[in-house]
Amino acid sequence: MRILRPIEFDLARQERLFFLLGPIQGGGNWQERACAILDVLTPEATIAVPCRWESDHPLKSRFAKGARPNDFSDQTTWERYYLEEAARSDKNGCILAWLPCEDPFNPRSDGQPYARDSYGEIGEWRGRMMSAKHTRFVMGAEERFPGLSVMQKNWNAALKMDFVIFPTLEETVRQAVERSES
């Protein structure tokens, strides 16, 4: 497993790429848990993690060696690049969206709404999947995630099918690995 952090570009990226989409501020430590599960299921994967993990992070030994800052002007540009790469049907990869409830012990503290950016990103990928069903995207959420029932109805209506939102991070990761192989 190799981890790419924001604005790093991996020249030697391996075949399988996962992008972890979901709340960062106030979202707990779900990205680290997802990386651990992915490492067991597909240890050769590269994972684009939009967290600003420092060089002393517990997963520092997994940070992509040879990755370097590139021409990304900001984190949003980096995220959009790797979201596109992970979703492409001609490569082995997948966007893995996980929506945990806000961490009651470490909530978002900057005055902005919890999961603000994640709602928009998920809406964009729902729209993209309406015209390109082959897009590699898997989503899971905790049962009490705010707005989940409305999201479920919108996905079902937009795709004209029952879109599965997986109930655990473990199942979401497993499904993302399966989807990356199809």
Side-chain angles (χ1 to χ4, degrees):
M1 170 183 71
R2 300 172 66 227
I3 296 171
L4 282 173
R5 296 175 295 163
I7 79 162
E8 291 179 333
F9 183 72
D10 185 3
L11 294 173
R13 184 174 63 79
Q14 297 149 335
E15 288 292 320
R16 195 166 301 190
L17 172 69
F18 295 91
F19 186 97
L20 302 185
L21 184 159
I24 295 173
Q25 295 182 42
N29 203 13
W30 73 268
Q31 294 90 347
E32 194 171 319
R33 291 189 347 231
C35 285
I37 299 165
L38 282 164
D39 192 29
V40 170
L41 298 176
T42 181
E44 78 285 354
T46 298
I47 307 166
V49 181
C51 300
R52 294 179 180 259
W53 290 341
E54 298 294 330
S55 57
D56 62 346
H57 189 274
L59 291 176
K60 67 183 176 190
S61 67
R62 300 308 193 116
F63 293 170
K65 291 170 182 49
R68 60 176 175 75
N70 198 1
D71 296 329
F72 299 110
S73 58
D74 54 35
Q75 182 166 336
T76 301
T77 305
W78 176 87
E79 288 182 18
R80 293 192 68 78
Y81 175 83
Y82 279 108
L83 280 162
E84 293 278 348
E85 286 292 298
R88 287 178 53 178
S89 63
D90 63 335
K91 295 190 175 185
N92 293 333
C94 189
I95 297 171
L96 187 162
W98 176 246
L99 302 173
C101 293
E102 188 168 14
D103 185 338
F105 302 107
N106 189 22
R108 186 169 183 144
S109 60
D110 63 355
Q112 298 296 318
Y114 175 65
R116 175 192 70 179
D117 297 336
S118 300
Y119 284 108
E121 291 167 340
I122 286 169
E124 176 183 348
W125 286 96
R126 181 181 66 226
R128 287 176 176 230
M129 289 179 68
M130 289 170 66
S131 61
K133 295 198 183 345
H134 60 276
T135 297
R136 293 179 176 189
F137 180 95
V138 171
M139 184 166 71
E142 290 183 342
E143 183 179 356
R144 294 179 330 279
F145 183 80
L148 182 60
S149 63
V150 172
M151 255 191 249
Q152 181 72 70
K153 289 175 186 175
N154 285 333
W155 275 90
N156 292 350
L159 300 181
K160 297 176 178 40
M161 60 178 260
D162 287 334
F163 179 79
V164 178
I165 299 176
F166 298 98
T168 66
L169 178 59
E170 292 76 11
E171 182 61 20
T172 306
V173 172
R174 276 195 291 280
Q175 293 298 322
V177 170
E178 281 186 31
R179 183 80 172 111
S180 75
E181 296 169 342
S182 63

